[in-house]
Amino acid sequence: MDELSPSPQSKDSAASLWRPSQLVFGPYSTQTQSEAPNSKSQTLRVVVTKPFVARLTKDIVETYHICNPQFKYSEELNPKRYLTSPSIGVLNDGYDNVNSDLILTVNFVLVNLDTQRRYVVKDVLGHGTFGQVAKCWVPETNSFVAVKIIKNQPAYYQQALVEVSILTTLNKKYDPEDKHHIVRIYDHFVYHRHLCICFELLDTNLYELIKINHFRGLSLTIVQLFSKQILHGLALLKDAGIIHCDLKPENILLCTSVKPAEIKIIDFGSACMEDRTVYSYIQSRYYRSPEVLLGYQYTTSIDMWSFGCIVAELFLGLPLFPGASEFDLLRRMIEILGGQPPDCVLKEAKNTSKFFKCIRSVHNVENGELSASGKSAYQALTEEEYEARELKRPSIGKEYFNRMNLEEIVTNYPYRKNLPKEDVVKESQIRLALVDFLKGLVEFDPAKRWSPFQASKHPFVTGEPFTRPYKPPLETPRMPVAQNIRVDHHPGGGHWFAAGLSPNIPGRNRVSMHSSPHFQVVPYAHANSYGSVGSHGSYNDGTGLGSSYGSYGDTSNVFAYYSPVGPSGMNMHAQGNVPMLGSSPDARRRIIQYSHGNGLGMSPSAGSFAPLPLGTSPSQFTPPSSYSQVSAGSPGHYGPTSPARGSCHGSPLGKMAAVSQFNRRKSWGYPGGSQTQESSSSHWQGQATDGTSSNQAEGNSQILGSSPSHLHLNANAGSWKQQRGGSGISPGYLAIQSMPASFTVGSNMQFPNTTGVAHEKPEASLSLPDPGDWDPNYSDELLLQEDGSDVSCFTTEFSQGMHLNSAEKLVGAGRFNRVSNTSAGLSFQRQNGPIQSYSHAEVGSPPSTNEPLAGYARLPKPSHFPHISQNSPSRLGQQYQRSSQGRPTNSRGGDWNHMKVQAPPPNFNSGGPLSPGNSSFSNGMSWGRRASHPVTSIPPASRGRKDYGRIA
Ligand SMILES: Nc1ncnc2c1ncn2[C@@H]1O[C@H](COP(=O)(O)OP(=O)(O)OP(=O)(O)O)[C@@H](O)[C@H]1O
């Protein structure tokens, strides 16, 4: 019977009986067979003709080949994704850009030629004064690391070696089990004349964390936790006699590979030994201690000051002392803390007369005692007085705390909205503990400032109830240790502290000299180190600080072996038919670029370890102020890719600093001088193979004055100038360059004080200006300016699983926004700007108990805050975005290679190429004080405040 023919029965039944032939139609199902195992397999086949474009592109190589049979594909023809800017290769055979940065592209491979270990560049994590930090994949271990690629400049190279040495010491000798929150160094090598330092990969830094939290600060629990961990690190540094010199939120990174997440201290590029405090211009401004600011001698306690500033900032979300200039910085300190540095400090400090006037006799000032009247002999200058002295108005930043003192700032800080009353009471107690804690840290008198050990016993850290002002346990005074550290550097990529890296290990422990003719010995005199191992305030892990104050020193030696390899002498090869006469590549370049240079007698540049004898000093390594005077009117000009601090390395200050540093060492004749000399000497000796003099007997300054290093100094400055195309070189710097070599080095260079203002202390009149003062681009309007990036580049991973702080409404408005009835309940969104201070007129009535935010800044009008607009361009111009995809290592210990520093453990995969995009913060940790839900709108994880409070 025909299936389609109705039966003779009724129409209805005919309709219900009819059904299509299975052969013609089939029901369409999206279910796969696995999803519906019982259903009959019914595959819908759709034939789609591949679009023309797809066919062309998929088979493009064939297509090209058809078009042109000569065509041959090579991977090198692929377009490169540049990570470095500018990406035009103008130096180092085209490998480096104008800033001496290695030009990185995605998948660029850095190779440790010794071990053949390869590091495949995947992204740039950040960049700073010393170069770029790239996220790299290590195929060998299928893991990620962070590689800092140092600029191809001798001074950076040398200082980076110090970072390698110090970090190696800390890792291997002092913290082999990785319990003290110091970043791990895995490897280092030279590639294309760039020193590359391989670190464990960490996550975002604390500044970015605060930023992500809309500058609201973090919960007290987190502040306590981080404080404790930072103290662990600082105790280790104190134990090792090492000063970090640049502690700030940007240099404390999260390590989320462990749970709960930890922090780690990074960037030892400015660090120095406690007894080798040769630089007076250190620490980023906001975190700069009074003694550094005043030009007084300093110790590890300057890191404790910075630490105090950081703790306050973690709680407040804003820097405690956001000084727009050094004057402003000091003014804020005095205002917020009350009091001022003790007279014994002011009496001795070099820069006192820049900020203070003497109003009484200082003869009675002994051991911090006040004058006979019981009052200080010094009075801080007013703005007008400062202006009269310095012939310029000091930059004054905005008031964020409405002239409150520390206690008021902390206690008046808004509580989280809807916090139960009992929790408010609890928190208010912890806040009192915090105030007391901070007071012991941001203590003007460095001698009274708490040590890490003392601070770690404070109830704020231990969590014990705070009942009365804390009396720290006595710190056993440390006795000077006569010892030297011998640091060996293997030029071929093996740089290590020979077995006796520790000051505790006596005798000479050095590896055999490398075959390089450029190898040299640089003694690292450690004559007065207090860095006895395992002593004095070292932590008993997990239980806070221990109290072992033992093991005072021996008389071991520590020497630094630094090779002039790399930027300062390695990979030497003749170029351009220019003869190489006993010169480093830098000298070689100089020869090439300066026909007037005969190349003779030039010292290789890497000769000295500490003094940065070249005109390429990183900016923070400014010499003591009394030995040179740089005109304040010689601002640096930053290139678009050069952050303020970073750019300062190309600044006149940095160069001047290098030169005057050199002079200072020479004229002071302090132990470092011998280092310089020996270093120069040995360096020179190393160069003897090039046919130059092998004068080894460099004596004191006079000999130094005519040493090859000496000549090199100026010549290299010229080289720098040439390389920089003359841009950003101040008149002051040029003046130095044009000086006869003998004058530059051989004299105790003192430039005339252009201000012509009489100073009470002559040294002070020679002080170097705070670069923040002369930074032509500086504006405190930019205090909280985001980098020019927009929110669209936020990685979703930041917003996943991370609970920083709630977008939840605060009590009223923002933490610093006074709540009026109308603004109460306003969600303080980032685009409104975090703060706006009252004008004096606005401050008005005192805060009432019903108005917890009273006294804090008023909710700003958005239009008044271009600097916090998310789209506001960075004053730094084009910058990298810090990629947040970097994920940390899983493993935290284990040596990788005994010959090397420390290799990443096999499972240190911090994301791996196969698992990109995992949240850096996906450990479920709640960070924020107001947090109850994930952050949904996150500021770009860009680099930090490159300008504000930087060493620049
Ligand atoms: N181990 C790491 N893991 C992840 N990111 C890192 C790591 N080390 C450095 N970075 C990133 O690179 C940036 C620059 O690093 P670092 O501070 O060491 O360089 P620098 O040249 O010394 O900078 P600065 O100018 O602050 O002294 C850091 O702010 C951080 O964002």
Side-chain angles (χ1 to χ4, degrees):
M1 187 175 79
D2 185 353
E3 279 186 3
L4 301 177
S5 308
S7 68
Q9 280 88 26
S10 70
K11 265 186 178 181
D12 290 348
S13 58
S16 62
L17 283 174
W18 183 90
R19 56 195 164 91
S21 162
Q22 285 284 333
L23 299 172
V24 181
F25 299 105
Y28 172 72
S29 168
T30 52
Q31 277 184 323
T32 63
Q33 212 163 351
S34 60
E35 287 169 318
N38 298 328
S39 68
K40 215 172 154 190
S41 170
Q42 295 177 5
T43 313
L44 182 70
R45 281 194 63 193
V46 179
V47 178
V48 179
T49 310
K50 233 191 287 174
F52 183 63
V53 174
R55 275 182 287 155
L56 269 181
T57 49
K58 181 174 174 291
D59 304 319
I60 194 151
V61 174
E62 285 78 22
T63 309
Y64 277 171
H65 199 70
I66 291 165
C67 297
N68 176 9
Q70 308 297 322
F71 175 81
K72 277 202 181 83
Y73 171 69
S74 144
E75 260 191 26
E76 280 158 22
L77 296 173
N78 288 352
K80 288 179 176 165
R81 273 179 55 205
Y82 286 97
L83 298 169
T84 307
S85 177
S87 58
I88 299 165
V90 291
L91 298 170
N92 191 19
D93 296 334
Y95 282 106
D96 297 355
N97 68 14
V98 70
N99 301 322
S100 298
D101 275 321
L102 184 63
I103 297 166
L104 299 175
T105 51
V106 175
N107 291 329
F108 184 94
V109 182
L110 303 162
V111 186
N112 180 337
L113 296 171
D114 267 10
T115 60
Q116 294 305 315
R117 185 163 292 119
R118 290 153 53 84
Y119 298 88
V120 185
V121 174
K122 290 295 173 188
D123 209 340
V124 164
L125 296 165
H127 67 171
T129 313
F130 287 86
Q132 315 163 79
V133 180
K135 178 185 177 184
C136 294
W137 176 55
V138 188
E140 195 181 331
T141 52
N142 188 24
S143 53
F144 280 99
V145 293
V147 180
K148 190 165 172 177
I149 303 146
I150 305 298
K151 284 175 190 286
N152 181 9
Q153 289 282 344
Y156 296 108
Y157 171 80
Q158 290 170 31
Q159 190 60 33
L161 284 181
V162 176
E163 178 169 18
V164 170
S165 302
I166 284 181
L167 211 42
T168 307
T169 313
L170 291 172
N171 278 189
K172 295 207 103 172
K173 180 67 195 176
Y174 289 89
D175 188 21
E177 290 177 29
D178 188 13
K179 288 183 171 170
H180 287 267
H181 305 280
I182 307 284
V183 68
R184 307 306 285 184
I185 179 171
Y186 292 143
D187 189 11
H188 76 283
F189 53 92
V190 172
Y191 191 64
H192 284 311
R193 300 159 56 88
H194 289 265
L195 179 62
C196 302
I197 312 173
C198 173
F199 300 101
E200 67 174 307
L201 182 64
L202 299 169
D203 286 287
T204 200
N205 66 53
L206 293 192
Y207 169 70
E208 285 173 358
L209 194 66
I210 292 170
K211 192 158 80 168
I212 286 166
N213 212 25
H214 301 188
F215 297 101
R216 281 185 206 131
L218 312 176
S219 77
L220 272 172
T221 319
I222 296 296
V223 178
Q224 279 171 321
L225 178 74
F226 288 173
S227 300
K228 191 172 182 171
Q229 296 182 356
I230 298 167
L231 278 174
H232 267 259
L234 291 178
L236 189 82
L237 294 187
K238 186 172 166 64
D239 232 16
I242 289 167
I243 314 176
H244 185 284
C245 292
D246 195 18
L247 207 63
K248 57 185 172 182
E250 286 93 331
N251 284 338
I252 299 170
L253 267 55
L254 287 176
C255 172
T256 55
S257 61
V258 289
K259 291 180 176 120
E262 292 182 352
I263 54 86
K264 292 237 174 171
I265 300 171
I266 66 157
D267 193 3
F268 288 78
S270 311
C272 66
M273 303 299 290
E274 201 169 22
D275 63 325
R276 306 280 299 167
T277 53
V278 291
Y279 304 111
S280 66
Y281 198 74
I282 49 167
Q283 298 190 294
S284 296
R285 196 189 315 122
Y286 297 175
Y287 311 94
R288 191 172 298 156
S289 59
E291 58 266 36
V292 168
L293 186 149
L294 290 167
Y296 187 66
Q297 65 204 36
Y298 58 91
T299 65
T300 48
S301 68
I302 64 168
D303 285 339
M304 290 305 284
W305 176 279
S306 306
F307 169 63
C309 298
I310 293 168
V311 175
E313 186 167 342
L314 291 177
F315 175 76
L316 298 169
L318 287 170
L320 186 61
F321 305 122
S325 61
E326 289 210 313
F327 177 87
D328 190 28
L329 181 66
L330 189 67
R331 184 188 65 82
R332 285 168 192 267
M333 289 175 186
I334 291 171
E335 191 171 283
I336 290 175
L337 303 178
Q340 62 184 39
D343 280 12
C344 60
V345 170
L346 291 172
K347 189 180 172 214
E348 298 295 326
K350 293 190 189 76
N351 303 331
T352 298
S353 63
K354 195 175 168 191
F355 306 106
F356 289 88
K357 62 184 173 194
C358 199
I359 52 171
R360 291 184 187 86
S361 162
V362 291
H363 293 308
N364 297 329
V365 177
E366 288 295 331
N367 302 323
E369 298 295 323
L370 296 178
S371 62
S373 64
K375 291 183 179 164
S376 171
Y378 296 92
Q379 191 174 68
L381 298 182
T382 62
E383 247 180 277
E384 292 71 30
E385 287 167 338
Y386 179 90
E387 185 178 2
R389 283 198 183 185
E390 299 287 320
L391 294 184
K392 61 166 183 171
R393 266 197 102 68
S395 299
I396 303 291
K398 273 198 170 63
E399 285 301 328
Y400 297 112
F401 304 118
N402 286 321
R403 303 187 179 274
M404 290 188 279
N405 65 30
L406 182 64
E407 185 160 355
E408 290 166 336
I409 290 171
V410 172
T411 53
N412 287 345
Y413 184 84
Y415 285 82
R416 200 182 77 194
K417 193 189 171 194
N418 298 332
L419 196 67
K421 216 171 176 180
E422 57 272 23
D423 289 348
V424 172
V425 174
K426 236 192 250 172
E427 185 170 323
S428 64
Q429 281 305 305
I430 302 176
R431 288 185 184 201
L432 290 179
L434 174 61
V435 172
D436 191 66
F437 183 60
L438 292 175
K439 280 181 179 168
L441 302 173
V442 283
E443 158 65 55
F444 275 116
D445 188 347
K448 291 185 185 153
R449 200 174 299 147
W450 296 340
S451 69
F453 167 70
Q454 291 173 319
S456 71
K457 298 292 181 198
H458 192 279
F460 178 74
V461 178
T462 61
E464 292 162 32
F466 177 73
T467 48
R468 59 177 179 276
Y470 172 68
K471 291 258 178 298
L474 280 181
E475 187 97 49
T476 309
R478 287 186 298 172
M479 291 154 55
V481 179
Q483 55 192 0
N484 293 306
I485 298 175
R486 179 175 289 278
V487 182
D488 288 2
H489 175 232
H490 189 285
H495 176 153
W496 59 90
F497 278 44
L501 183 62
S502 154
N504 266 4
I505 298 184
R508 296 182 165 201
N509 300 287
R510 38 194 274 207
V511 294
S512 57
M513 291 275 246
H514 191 266
S515 54
S516 164
H518 314 299
F519 195 70
Q520 61 182 310
V521 180
V522 181
Y524 193 117
H526 195 71
N528 278 314
S529 168
Y530 300 89
S532 51
V533 183
S535 65
H536 188 67
S538 60
Y539 278 95
N540 298 323
D541 190 64
T543 58
L545 285 164
S547 53
S548 61
Y549 299 95
S551 64
Y552 293 115
D554 49 22
T555 48
S556 54
N557 291 319
V558 183
F559 280 92
Y561 275 92
Y562 288 120
S563 164
V565 293
S568 12
M570 78 188 93
N571 305 335
M572 259 207 295
H573 48 278
Q575 274 190 355
N577 298 322
V578 177
M580 296 167 65
L581 301 174
S583 61
S584 73
D586 298 285
R588 184 199 68 218
R589 269 205 302 274
R590 188 173 59 245
I591 296 165
I592 293 167
Q593 293 170 356
Y594 292 87
S595 54
H596 58 270
N598 61 12
L600 287 168
M602 288 180 185
S603 166
S605 54
S608 40
F609 169 57
L612 302 176
L614 306 172
T616 54
S617 163
S619 62
Q620 67 268 44
F621 307 117
T622 306
S625 56
S626 59
Y627 283 80
S628 70
Q629 170 68 29
V630 180
S631 162
S634 54
H637 297 281
Y638 308 139
T641 58
S642 183
R645 176 182 165 192
S647 56
C648 230
H649 50 65
S651 78
L653 184 66
K655 295 171 185 66
M656 179 66 84
V659 175
S660 47
Q661 167 65 30
F662 204 76
N663 286 325
R664 168 185 170 268
R665 297 170 63 82
K666 171 185 165 292
S667 58
W668 279 10
Y670 83 110
S674 66
Q675 171 184 320
T676 306
Q677 293 143 20
E678 183 170 344
S679 123
S680 300
S681 168
S682 49
H683 195 158
W684 184 239
Q685 192 178 20
Q687 293 300 318
T689 52
D690 298 321
T692 51
S693 163
S694 60
N695 176 11
Q696 192 176 2
E698 286 189 44
N700 214 323
S701 55
Q702 287 218 313
I703 296 176
L704 186 66
S706 58
S707 76
S709 296
H710 163 113
L711 290 175
H712 177 66
L713 182 64
N714 274 339
N716 193 70
S719 170
W720 169 268
K721 177 192 169 197
Q722 184 74 2
Q723 287 177 41
R724 306 283 294 196
S727 65
I729 310 293
S730 79
Y733 172 54
L734 293 173
I736 294 282
Q737 291 182 73
S738 59
M739 275 182 214
S742 57
F743 175 70
T744 307
V745 177
S747 66
N748 182 8
M749 181 178 63
Q750 293 199 1
F751 293 89
N753 179 2
T754 52
T755 64
V757 176
H759 290 266
E760 289 169 32
K761 296 185 73 167
E763 317 91 272
S765 69
L766 297 172
S767 62
L768 289 165
D770 177 0
D773 297 345
W774 49 254
D775 178 350
N777 297 315
Y778 185 85
S779 156
D780 68 274
E781 284 293 316
L782 300 170
L783 173 64
L784 295 171
Q785 175 186 307
E786 309 295 345
D787 293 338
S789 40
D790 64 43
V791 278
S792 61
C793 64
F794 302 166
T795 53
T796 48
E797 65 198 53
F798 268 74
S799 59
Q800 290 167 358
M802 171 139 177
H803 304 265
L804 277 164
N805 197 345
S806 170
E808 196 180 307
K809 299 169 180 78
L810 301 180
V811 179
R815 294 175 68 167
F816 294 89
N817 294 310
R818 181 177 177 178
V819 183
S820 68
N821 288 338
T822 49
S823 64
L826 254 182
S827 177
F828 190 60
Q829 297 302 316
R830 187 166 163 272
Q831 58 269 28
N832 287 335
I835 47 174
Q836 166 66 312
S837 63
Y838 283 127
S839 67
H840 290 282
E842 284 175 298
V843 174
S845 55
S848 77
T849 45
N850 295 332
E851 206 173 9
L853 292 168
Y856 281 83
R858 189 185 293 279
L859 186 71
K861 289 177 188 157
S863 59
H864 292 167
F865 292 87
H867 59 292
I868 48 174
S869 155
Q870 289 174 2
N871 296 320
S872 64
S874 163
R875 78 182 187 82
L876 302 174
Q878 183 187 355
Q879 290 186 357
Y880 295 115
Q881 292 295 309
R882 161 129 197 245
S883 327
S884 54
Q885 63 271 50
R887 291 189 300 121
T889 68
N890 291 327
S891 169
R892 305 178 56 218
D895 280 1
W896 192 25
N897 177 346
H898 289 295
M899 285 297 288
K900 291 296 162 191
V901 178
Q902 184 182 5
N907 63 339
F908 78 123
N909 183 359
S910 51
L914 303 176
S915 56
N918 286 353
S919 170
S920 297
F921 303 106
S922 56
N923 58 2
M925 184 157 191
S926 171
W927 301 97
R929 58 176 29 253
R930 316 255 183 275
S932 60
H933 57 80
V935 172
T936 51
S937 173
I938 307 159
S942 60
R943 293 160 45 243
R945 300 159 288 185
K946 284 298 177 192
D947 306 305
Y948 314 113
R950 294 226 132 212
I951 287 178

